Structures are given as structure tokens and as C-alpha cells.
Amino acid sequence: MLRLLVYALLATIAVACNAEGPDVPNAPTHIDYPEIPNNEIWYTTSDKETITPSWAPSLEHAIVSNTYADGKGVMCFDGDITEIGSMLFSNSYRLTSITLPLSVKHIGKEAFDNCTKLKTITISPYVESIGKRAFYGCPITEFTLPAGVTTLEVAVFGACQKLEKVTLSEGLTKISKNAFTSCTALKSLNIPKSVEEIEAGAFAGCRSLAQFSGKYASEDGRCLIKDNALIAFAPNGIRSYTIPKGVTTIGESAFALCENIEFVDIPTSVTRIEAMAFSYCYALETITIPENVEYLGARCCFTSRTPQSVYCMPTTPPTADKGTESSWFAFSSAPYPELTIYVPKGSVEAYKISAEWEQFAKNIVGYEF
């Protein structure tokens, strides 16, 4: 039978010995994998001492032995392991590597959350689900998604600041909110054809990201554009950017945390700028909102820094949504001392009495566009 090397890489994840696996779409029937019994977990720690699960209630089976010898920890259970439960190893600060048996199909939410020394995990290519924040804050460098995983959950790789390379498998359909937020070393990403949904802020704060490829990638590789909505931006090395023509919506958190961007040219095709679209773009001191924009979401251009100049060209004040905030805070936080909002001369009063815009009444001045 054809032998295939299948890697589920977290940091430097390698597989090595023959084993049969469960029936998972797109996965091989024969793989190379470590000779680890299905009722054991192998691990290493920074101090060469044993660890215990952080959250015992999520144990699938009782631990019958836990030893550390010859540079390896072995945790033995009284049954085959199919799931790494929620928070099972969260905040295990001494954990440096872990090898899971081939029988594991599910990794629960926050399973390895904030394991700040965990550089290597060997996981089965037959894993079918990985919970939210499962690897949050882990110093992994590389990851290949198992073929059976269809959803990258919320913040699953959030704050993995060493993560440089990710391979997403065909079969993935959803990348959830903040999935890769603040993965500051991630340089490029290919989006599989199977992906149908990418939620807000999936790549916010990925300051080294220079290129998207695959599904939804713009011609220049700098954006992901879905249904005429710009939903993500690759900011590395860019201080000014012209959004492609035809984009009608700048999605939620699309440019969030692009700290070095100084100028964005928004085309007249844009009618909506969603919540947090340009939030915390600290170098973006001036922004022009084109004449066809009808809607501005909560904290759409919020920086918390001043001075800031906003040129708002629509003659009719765009509808504003403050979301769950007590105030709109679209551009800055109160009392907005150095913020100036330039609007068409004939529309000054309309802006000042508009429901959300009135909070900026003292900052609004007429301008001849």
C-alpha cells in the first residue's frame, strides 16, 4: 500500500512509524507515526520533571501512572484516548513538547492555552476538531492542518508570535474570528478552495503578513476580497495602499492593528465601512471617506491618538452604528480635542444634529470638496 508522509506540524511536528487510522476524509489509510500506545501521552518539560493536567475534570480516563525518565515523560491512562479535553494542559508553563496518540480525534477548547514554552506538538492527521484558543500563546513555528478539520475556531492560534508558516488543508470551510490574531511572525498564507467563510479579525495584528494566495486573494496578494468585501489585509512593508476598485465594503477589523499604514485610498465604490475596520492604525492620521459611503460601524477608524483629520465627503451623514458601545467612538475617544471632521459645506448642520454624529458637533467644519 502506498506510504504517505502526513505531517500535522505544530512547531516542528514530525511523524514516524506505521499505523492504521480511522476513516477520515482526505486522510491516508496508512501513515507514519510514532509508536505510541493509544492510552499514553508522551511529553517533555523544561525542568525534566513530570506535569499533571491543569484541569482534571476534563480528563477522559483516569491516570494510572505518570513518570519521567530518559528525557521523556509518559502519562498512562486506563483507556484509549480519543479527546484532549478543554483546558487539559492550559497554563502548563513547563511543557516543551507533547506527542498525542493516533486515536485522538478531538482537541478541546483552550487545551494548550498559554503553554508559553510548548514548541512542539505531534498530533494525528486524523484529528477532526480543534477547539477555540487551543494553542493560544504557544511558541510554535509551523503548523499543517489535519485533513478532517473543517473549522479553525476562534483565536485557535491567537498570539502565537513565533508562528511563521501555516498550511491549510482542502476541506477547511471556515476560519473563525481572530483565528490568527497577533501572529506577528506569519509571513504568507494560502486559502484553500474549500473555504467558504472568514470571520472578522482573523488576521488582525499579523504585522509580518505580506501575501495572501488562493481563494479570495486580490490580484496583488495584499487582500482577501469576498463578495466585494475586503475582509483582510496583509500589511508588511506597506505605508500606503489603494483599495482595489469594485470593493463595496471594508469588512470588520479588515485593517485593524496595521500600525504602520499612513494612507489608504478608498474607492468611490465603497458604501460601507464596518466596525473596527481601521481601528488602532496609529499612523493613519488622515482618512478620506468617499461620497458614496452610507454606513460607518462602531470604532471604524478609532485610534485613541490625536491629532486626526477625517474628510467625510457624503452630503448625507452616513448611518452610524455604535454597536455595544455607550458612544460611537468612530474616530477617537472623548473629548476629541484635536480631531477635525471636514464635511461638505452645505451639510454641516445635518451632520451636527445627526444622532451619532452630534457627539462630534464641535469637531465638524465645512469643506469645499
Side-chain angles (χ1 to χ4, degrees):
M1 183 179 290
L2 180 65
R3 297 177 65 83
L4 299 176
L5 291 178
V6 178
Y7 295 93
L9 294 171
L10 249 176
T12 50
I13 300 175
V15 286
C17 115
N18 279 343
E20 293 284 350
D23 184 17
V24 175
N26 302 321
T29 56
H30 237 92
I31 67 164
D32 288 334
Y33 204 79
E35 293 181 359
I36 175 171
N38 287 341
N39 67 329
E40 291 183 3
I41 290 176
W42 298 348
Y43 63 91
T44 61
T45 57
S46 57
D47 60 1
K48 311 301 180 185
E49 299 289 341
T50 60
I51 60 167
T52 55
S54 302
W55 184 242
S58 66
L59 280 173
E60 186 177 10
H61 299 288
I63 298 173
V64 296
S65 66
N66 188 9
T67 60
Y68 204 104
D70 300 323
K72 181 177 73 176
V74 178
M75 199 176 295
C76 183
F77 299 83
D78 64 0
D80 290 352
I81 303 167
T82 63
E83 179 178 3
I84 303 301
S86 299
M87 301 185 292
L88 189 59
F89 293 100
S90 63
N91 299 307
S92 295
Y93 302 121
R94 296 181 295 113
L95 187 63
T96 56
S97 73
I98 197 159
T99 301
L100 305 179
L102 198 62
S103 55
V104 171
K105 292 184 179 181
H106 307 285
I107 297 176
K109 67 179 182 179
E110 302 174 32
F112 300 97
D113 182 15
N114 206 30
C115 292
T116 55
K117 293 182 180 178
L118 182 58
K119 296 181 178 180
T120 305
I121 297 184
T122 305
I123 63 173
S124 164
Y126 301 114
V127 167
E128 298 174 3
S129 66
I130 301 173
K132 68 179 182 179
R133 291 179 62 104
F135 307 118
Y136 189 93
C138 295
I140 59 177
T141 61
E142 194 170 357
F143 177 76
T144 295
L145 190 70
V149 176
T150 60
T151 299
L152 281 178
E153 297 290 354
V154 172
V156 63
F157 296 110
C160 291
Q161 296 184 356
K162 301 290 186 180
L163 186 60
E164 295 182 3
K165 182 180 179 181
V166 175
T167 302
L168 302 180
S169 302
E170 287 293 341
L172 178 69
T173 60
K174 180 179 179 180
I175 300 175
S176 297
K177 187 173 183 178
N178 299 328
F180 294 95
T181 189
S182 296
C183 289
T184 53
L186 186 62
K187 298 175 181 178
S188 63
L189 194 70
N190 182 71
I191 306 297
K193 293 180 181 179
S194 54
V195 171
E196 299 174 355
E197 183 178 3
I198 300 176
E199 291 188 339
F203 306 101
C206 294
R207 60 176 178 234
S208 297
L209 192 59
Q211 184 179 37
F212 291 108
S213 59
K215 194 172 184 181
Y216 306 127
S218 60
E219 186 175 346
D220 62 4
R222 286 290 179 170
C223 304
L224 295 179
I225 299 173
K226 181 179 184 292
D227 299 329
N228 296 321
L230 192 158
I231 56 178
F233 179 65
N236 187 51
I238 289 200
R239 294 191 178 276
S240 65
Y241 187 71
T242 299
I243 292 175
K245 293 180 180 179
V247 168
T248 59
T249 299
I250 301 174
E252 183 177 344
S253 300
F255 288 83
L257 293 169
C258 293
E259 297 179 353
N260 294 322
I261 198 81
E262 297 175 356
F263 173 77
V264 178
D265 184 9
I266 303 174
T268 57
S269 54
V270 170
T271 60
R272 293 178 65 90
I273 300 177
E274 301 290 352
M276 306 284 286
F278 295 97
S279 60
Y280 301 105
C281 293
Y282 293 123
L284 190 65
E285 296 181 354
T286 299
I287 190 165
T288 298
I289 299 170
E291 60 266 29
N292 294 321
V293 171
E294 301 172 351
Y295 172 89
L296 295 173
R299 294 181 179 255
C300 57
C301 304
F302 181 87
T303 68
S304 77
R305 294 184 181 180
T306 54
Q308 188 179 29
S309 297
V310 178
Y311 293 85
C312 193
M313 298 178 68
T315 54
T316 300
T319 301
D321 183 3
K322 65 182 181 180
T324 59
E325 304 284 351
S326 58
S327 296
W328 186 24
F329 293 140
F331 311 109
S332 184
S333 54
Y336 335 111
E338 298 178 67
L339 170 67
T340 304
I341 301 175
Y342 299 96
V343 305
K345 282 187 175 181
S347 302
V348 170
E349 289 306 311
Y351 274 84
K352 286 186 175 183
I353 64 174
S354 179
E356 272 73 38
W357 288 90
E358 65 178 357
Q359 75 185 71
F360 296 106
K362 293 181 179 179
N363 308 87
I364 294 172
V365 298
Y367 188 82
E368 191 71 51
F369 289 102

